[in-house]
Amino acid sequence: MRIVTGAGVYASPAGPHAANHYAEHLSVPDLSVGTYSIPAGGVDDQTPHTEDEIYVVTAGRARIVTGDGTADVGPGEVIFVPAGEEHRFVDIDGDLALLVVFAPGYKSRAATGPA
């Protein structure tokens, strides 16, 4: 058993040019858990991931934009994004904190170089 503390709590981006912040709290082969933070009015600059992803909004409000459409989201909402799908949070109102679960673990399917 592991107890993960601090997951889902907003953290300010580090450095004067940082747009957002991601902190991984737990990583095992089949899943990982982290917190993704974007300040109010910030820019989400992420690219599609190679793993399935679940977001749980813990603070702030935003609109998520995907190839399937857009939706307004706020605290308590759960968002599933399949591997490879373009997605971005826009119109960020209040500091946005997202508990993120990747399955399998974050970057575990990423290419490791030429085959």
Side-chain angles (χ1 to χ4, degrees), residues 82-101:
E85 182 173 70
E86 289 274 350
H87 60 287
R88 185 160 328 288
F89 291 94
V90 299
D91 301 331
I92 297 163
D93 183 16
D95 292 337
L96 184 64
L98 303 152
L99 180 67
V100 185
V101 179

Side-chain angles (χ1 to χ4, degrees), residues 22-38:
Y22 180 73
E24 188 171 70
H25 306 293
L26 172 72
S27 181
V28 295
D30 291 335
L31 66 87
S32 62
V33 175
T35 302
Y36 186 41
S37 301
I38 308 170

Side-chain angles (χ1 to χ4, degrees), residues 6-57:
V9 176
Y10 179 82
S12 294
H17 303 292
N20 48 52
H21 181 267
Y22 180 73
E24 188 171 70
H25 306 293
L26 172 72
S27 181
V28 295
D30 291 335
L31 66 87
S32 62
V33 175
T35 302
Y36 186 41
S37 301
I38 308 170
V43 175
D44 180 7
D45 60 359
Q46 67 179 309
T47 57
H49 310 293
T50 55
E51 301 79 29
D52 289 335
E53 184 174 19
I54 291 178
Y55 291 102
V56 180
V57 181

